Amino acid sequence: DAGVTQSPTHLIKTRGQQVTLRCSPKSGHDTVSWYQQALGQGPQFIFQYYEEEERQRGNFPDRFSGHQFPNYSSELNVNALLLGDSALYLCASSLVSGHYTDTQYFGPGTRLTVL
Amino acid sequence: AQTVTQSQPEMSVQEAETVTLSCTYDTSESDYYLFWYKQPPSRQMILVIRQEAYKQQNATENRFSVNFQKAAKSFSLKISDSQLGDAAMYFCAYKVDKIIFGKGTRLHILP
């Protein structure tokens, strides 16, 4: 049973560029959440996708956008990169259970460095 | 605002001993979930233990157990018989709809 996978593992970009990160959820999961983890901090919630729609959003600017595909995989796009966007980006998948999503399982993350 | 506070940035424990990591949270909700996640140097966030707020019984997973005090909004993690592989960052997290993480506690295991 494959867990959550993310690609790429590492990425280096320059200020002003755009980046796309990818996530495949754990088998059987239908919901994907994205988190940003700055060095030495806990992860911060960016947004969550369910049924190909953004279900919830954290306190992140519109430069951060996402997409979920029919196979439940997801992309995180960041436009006009800033130095402060350098972080570990974590994807987590879960299964909707009633009103709430169940326990989230995390991928290994993508380390983004903005120069 | 919902917040999660981990007051111990770093802790050390001798191998085979017991250690307790502290966590408090602030919420006006009555129905929520609490988690402890472990993040080793490999970066993979691993679920250690989960507690539903409506359950009074403290969750236990092998050597890991919690002390959940709902009125005090406290959720500490006890690790018994500490092993070298337990060395990692430990994050306390709270969830109603989205997960809110604390800043983490780095746990060192001394051989």
Side-chain angles (χ1 to χ4, degrees):
Chain A
D1 176 25
V4 180
T5 60
Q6 292 186 242
S7 63
T9 305
H10 296 91
L11 205 50
I12 299 175
K13 292 285 188 179
T14 57
R15 280 177 296 176
Q17 285 190 309
Q18 179 263 341
V19 68
T20 297
L21 310 182
R22 295 177 176 82
C23 171
S24 291
K26 182 179 169 65
S27 177
H29 284 182
D30 57 9
T31 302
V32 172
S33 303
W34 286 93
Y35 295 83
Q36 180 194 66
Q37 186 178 16
L39 199 61
Q41 301 293 316
Q44 290 202 10
F45 175 74
I46 302 175
F47 43 54
Q48 183 180 84
Y49 276 83
Y50 171 66
E51 292 188 340
E52 302 180 48
E53 301 229 340
E54 185 181 288
R55 193 177 186 216
Q56 297 170 62
R57 188 179 184 91
N59 189 24
F60 279 80
D62 292 344
R63 299 187 297 110
F64 290 76
S65 63
H67 188 77
Q68 185 179 34
F69 299 93
N71 66 353
Y72 306 120
S73 67
S74 177
E75 289 182 348
L76 164 66
N77 301 292
V78 187
N79 295 323
L81 284 167
L82 304 174
L83 295 179
D85 295 332
S86 295
L88 179 68
Y89 287 85
L90 295 167
C91 167
S93 75
S94 53
L95 184 65
V96 168
S97 175
H99 180 64
Y100 302 112
T101 55
D102 208 334
T103 300
Q104 295 189 7
Y105 293 87
F106 284 80
T110 295
R111 171 74 66 190
L112 172 64
T113 301
V114 182
L115 302 177
Chain B
Q2 298 155 349
T3 58
V4 177
T5 302
Q6 295 180 248
S7 59
Q8 306 147 316
E10 283 194 69
M11 292 192 72
S12 296
V13 63
Q14 209 75 36
E15 194 176 3
E17 296 294 309
T18 296
V19 65
T20 298
L21 309 183
S22 301
C23 172
T24 58
Y25 57 95
D26 188 21
T27 183
S28 57
E29 301 285 341
S30 59
D31 188 16
Y32 48 87
Y33 295 92
L34 294 164
F35 305 91
W36 279 97
Y37 280 92
K38 167 186 176 181
Q39 189 177 41
S42 67
R43 309 180 325 200
Q44 182 101 34
M45 195 78 76
I46 301 165
L47 177 67
V48 174
I49 200 164
R50 152 189 165 143
Q51 174 85 40
E52 290 92 341
Y54 66 86
K55 289 187 178 178
Q56 292 189 349
Q57 186 174 5
N58 290 325
T60 299
E61 288 288 341
N62 301 314
R63 298 183 294 108
F64 299 88
S65 61
V66 297
N67 183 5
F68 173 46
Q69 302 288 331
K70 190 172 184 179
K73 298 179 183 176
S74 170
F75 184 62
S76 61
L77 174 69
K78 185 172 82 171
I79 306 174
S80 303
D81 185 25
S82 297
Q83 300 175 0
L84 294 177
D86 294 334
M89 282 291 287
Y90 285 81
F91 291 97
C92 177
Y94 158 96
K95 173 182 175 290
V96 172
D97 45 9
K98 60 180 184 285
I99 294 183
I100 298 171
F101 287 87
K103 291 190 174 182
T105 295
R106 183 170 298 281
L107 180 64
H108 303 277
I109 309 296
L110 307 174

